[in-house]
Amino acid sequence: MVQHLRRVTPVQLPEKVSDGPFQPVLASAMFLRSLIVLVAMLLPPISHADTPAPRHLFYPGEIWPDDHGIHINAHGGGILLHEGTYYWFGEHKVAGRRGNSAQVGVHVYSSKDLYNWKDEGIALAVSDDPASDIQRGCILERPKVIFNERTGKFVMWFHLELKHNGYKSARSGVALADHPTGPYRFLRSFRPNAGVWPDNLPSDRRKPLDAAEQTQLNQYLFDGGPPPHLAFPGDLVCRRDFQGGQMARDMTLFQDDDGRVYHIYSSEENGTLQISQLDADGTAPSGHYTRILSGKFNEAPAMFKAGGRYFLLTSGTTGWAPNPCRCFSSDSIWGPFTYLGNPCHGDDAQTRITFDSQSTWVLPVAGRPAQFIFMADRWRPDNAIDGRYIWLPLRVENGMPAMEWKDNWGLETLNGAAARSASP
C-alpha cells in the first residue's frame, strides 16, 4: 500500500489571549484549531492505491499492477535473474506524453515468482546537465542488464539517441552499478567497433569507399530511399562507418553458456544486424563482431539458446506499427542464420502483427530447462505509458520456436510446452 502522510501546517498560538469582550470566542476558536491539528496528526495516513491481490496467472495485454497497484512502467525491457530474484528493467514512460523521449530514465522491478513485481524505483536517471549524453529529452531505449562475475558489477547497455538529434546518433550507452537495482552510474555512449572490421567481411572489401561507391550510397540514402526503390547497398554503410563506429539502434544482450556476453543490434541504417562480443568487463566491445542478415531490415532482436542452437527473434522495420515476427537459427553465435518463418500460431489477424506487439526479450525460466517466455511490447505512441506487455509461453518443436495466444496462463503451462518440445 502506498502511504502518503498529510502535510500539516503548525498553528501558531499567541502567548496570551488579550483581554476584551471577544476573549472567550478567541479562546474557543484557538482550542478548536488545535484540536483539528491533533486529530489530523493521529488519523491514519492517506492511501492512494490499494495493495493488489497476489497474482497467480499472466494476463497478456492487460494492465499489470505492481506492488503499489500501479501499471508496471518498464517498456522495451529485459530481465536479469540474480541470486534467485528476477529484475525487470525497462523504459519509464510519462503519462500523456507522445513519442519516445526519456523524461525519467530506466525503471526496475523485482520478483520471486514472475507474476508479482515490486517497484524498486529508477535504476538509471536521466540528467539535467546539458553536457550529458543522457540529458532529459534524449531517446533511451531497450535497456538490458547482465551481472559480471569477474568484476562483481551490474552492467547496463541501452540504445541512445542524443537530444535534438532524432534517430541520427545511433549510439550505445553503458552504465554500471554495485547492486542490481542501482543506482546505475552512466559511463559513456559511443558507436561500437570504431576502427574494427567485421570478422566476416572479406579482406578485399576492407577499405574506404571510393568515389563511385560514395555516389551509389548517396543515391540510396538521399535520392531513392530504402527498398523497393533501390537495392540495399551491400557493405557500403558498414565501410562508411569504419572510422567513427557502427550504427547501433534496437538492441539486446545475450549471455552464452560459457559466460561470454554478446551485444546484438540493428545497424547500417537498420538494414543489417551486427553481433558483437563484449570484453571481459562487459563494458566495451572486444574487437570481434560479425554482420548478419544484411539488407533484410530487422529490429527488436531477442536471442535465446535451446538444444545447442541459437535462435533469434526479430521484427520488421515498420515504425510503431506491429508486423509479423521473424525467427532465425544458427549452430554458431556468429551465424550464418537461417530464416525459419513466423513463430506465432493462430489466425491471420494475430500472426501478421505478432499479437499486436513487438519482441523485446526471451526469458529462460529458472529451474525449468528448455522452458521460455516470449516477452513483447504493445506500443502506444500517443500515450506511451499505456503500453501493455505480451508474455506468452514459448516452446521449440522440431527445431522451430512457437507461441500462441492465451488470454491468461500460468507457469504450469510450460510443462506441457516442454513435453511437446521433447516429443518426436
Side-chain angles (χ1 to χ4, degrees), residues 157 170 172 190-201 232 234-242 244-254 261-278 285 287-303 312 314 333-335 337:
W157 284 69
S172 297
F190 54 93
R191 283 193 170 186
N193 295 302
V196 179
W197 292 113
D199 291 347
N200 62 342
L201 186 67
F232 185 74
D235 58 23
L236 298 191
V237 182
C238 174
R239 290 166 54 205
R240 177 202 68 183
D241 294 338
F242 172 73
Q246 300 297 314
M247 301 177 75
R249 290 187 177 134
D250 276 14
M251 58 137 286
T252 192
L253 296 179
F254 173 75
V261 180
Y262 299 86
H263 179 210
I264 305 164
Y265 50 92
S266 184
S267 189
E268 302 178 35
E269 304 290 351
N270 281 7
T272 299
L273 288 175
Q274 294 185 358
I275 299 178
S276 175
Q277 183 179 328
L278 300 186
H288 292 284
Y289 75 106
T290 189
R291 306 169 66 238
I292 65 168
L293 308 176
S294 179
K296 303 301 182 183
F297 286 87
N298 290 279
E299 62 182 19
M303 179 174 279
L312 181 63
T314 72
I333 185 72
W334 300 114
F337 280 81

Side-chain angles (χ1 to χ4, degrees), residues 38 44 55 71 104 109 117 120 162 174 181 188 216 251 288 297 356 358 406 415 419:
L38 179 61
R55 284 190 161 215
H71 182 48
V104 178
Y109 298 80
W117 292 88
E120 299 284 1
L162 302 179
V174 182
T181 56
R188 63 188 177 281
Q216 178 187 351
M251 58 137 286
H288 292 284
F297 286 87
D356 192 19
Q358 185 184 49
K406 293 184 180 297
N415 295 329

Side-chain angles (χ1 to χ4, degrees), residues 134-392:
I134 58 168
Q135 180 187 3
R136 191 183 311 275
C138 68
I139 296 174
L140 195 162
E141 297 180 326
R142 297 181 177 268
K144 305 294 186 288
V145 174
I146 57 102
F147 175 64
N148 187 289
E149 291 189 1
R150 192 181 77 84
T151 64
K153 301 291 186 182
F154 296 88
V155 189
M156 178 187 293
W157 284 69
F158 50 90
H159 164 217
L160 178 69
E161 300 289 346
L162 302 179
K163 187 175 181 179
H164 303 310
N165 207 33
Y167 275 83
K168 297 177 182 178
S169 301
R171 299 169 76 88
S172 297
V174 182
L176 276 182
D178 295 321
H179 306 284
T181 56
Y184 284 75
R185 176 175 57 89
F186 176 65
L187 293 183
R188 63 188 177 281
S189 79
F190 54 93
R191 283 193 170 186
N193 295 302
V196 179
W197 292 113
D199 291 347
N200 62 342
L201 186 67
S203 57
D204 63 344
R205 302 294 295 173
R206 301 184 180 190
K207 56 187 178 182
L209 301 183
D210 60 31
E213 289 173 326
Q214 186 63 62
T215 299
Q216 178 187 351
L217 182 57
N218 290 344
Q219 182 185 18
Y220 172 79
L221 293 177
F222 307 116
D223 297 337
H229 305 293
L230 292 172
F232 185 74
D235 58 23
L236 298 191
V237 182
C238 174
R239 290 166 54 205
R240 177 202 68 183
D241 294 338
F242 172 73
Q243 291 292 343
Q246 300 297 314
M247 301 177 75
R249 290 187 177 134
D250 276 14
M251 58 137 286
T252 192
L253 296 179
F254 173 75
Q255 189 160 23
D256 210 342
D257 301 332
D258 59 6
R260 294 177 182 173
V261 180
Y262 299 86
H263 179 210
I264 305 164
Y265 50 92
S266 184
S267 189
E268 302 178 35
E269 304 290 351
N270 281 7
T272 299
L273 288 175
Q274 294 185 358
I275 299 178
S276 175
Q277 183 179 328
L278 300 186
D279 64 7
D281 291 345
T283 59
S286 68
H288 292 284
Y289 75 106
T290 189
R291 306 169 66 238
I292 65 168
L293 308 176
S294 179
K296 303 301 182 183
F297 286 87
N298 290 279
E299 62 182 19
M303 179 174 279
F304 68 102
K305 192 175 184 180
R309 289 184 64 79
Y310 298 87
F311 293 92
L312 181 63
L313 303 183
T314 72
S315 162
T317 52
T318 54
W320 293 104
N323 55 66
C325 184
R326 303 170 179 177
C327 182
F328 305 86
S329 72
S330 174
D331 290 327
S332 167
I333 185 72
W334 300 114
F337 280 81
T338 301
Y339 177 59
L340 301 179
N342 186 343
C344 299
H345 290 194
D347 60 40
D348 181 66
Q350 292 178 320
T351 61
R352 63 184 172 82
I353 56 171
T354 315
F355 313 112
D356 192 19
S357 69
Q358 185 184 49
S359 52
T360 185
W361 189 255
V362 174
L363 174 65
V365 180
R368 296 171 180 263
Q371 298 184 22
F372 305 92
I373 297 175
F374 169 71
M375 294 172 50
D377 288 275
R378 188 168 281 178
W379 298 109
R380 293 293 180 259
D382 290 330
N383 187 21
I385 197 173
D386 190 42
R388 309 295 177 87
Y389 309 107
I390 306 301
W391 286 28
L392 295 171

Side-chain angles (χ1 to χ4, degrees), residues 48-96:
H48 291 281
D50 293 328
T51 302
R55 284 190 161 215
H56 304 287
L57 293 172
F58 300 108
Y59 299 89
E62 295 188 12
I63 291 291
W64 195 339
D66 63 14
D67 60 322
H68 295 161
I70 300 171
H71 182 48
I72 292 171
N73 199 339
H75 309 269
I79 290 184
L80 167 72
L81 174 62
H82 182 70
E83 296 182 348
T85 299
Y86 293 96
Y87 297 92
W88 181 356
F89 299 85
E91 307 162 24
H92 180 102
K93 303 299 184 182
V94 176

Side-chain angles (χ1 to χ4, degrees), residues 19-38:
D19 295 331
F22 299 104
Q23 179 181 1
V25 176
L26 292 173
S28 297
M30 292 194 318
F31 174 77
L32 180 59
R33 292 172 66 187
S34 301
L35 182 61
I36 291 172
V37 171
L38 179 61

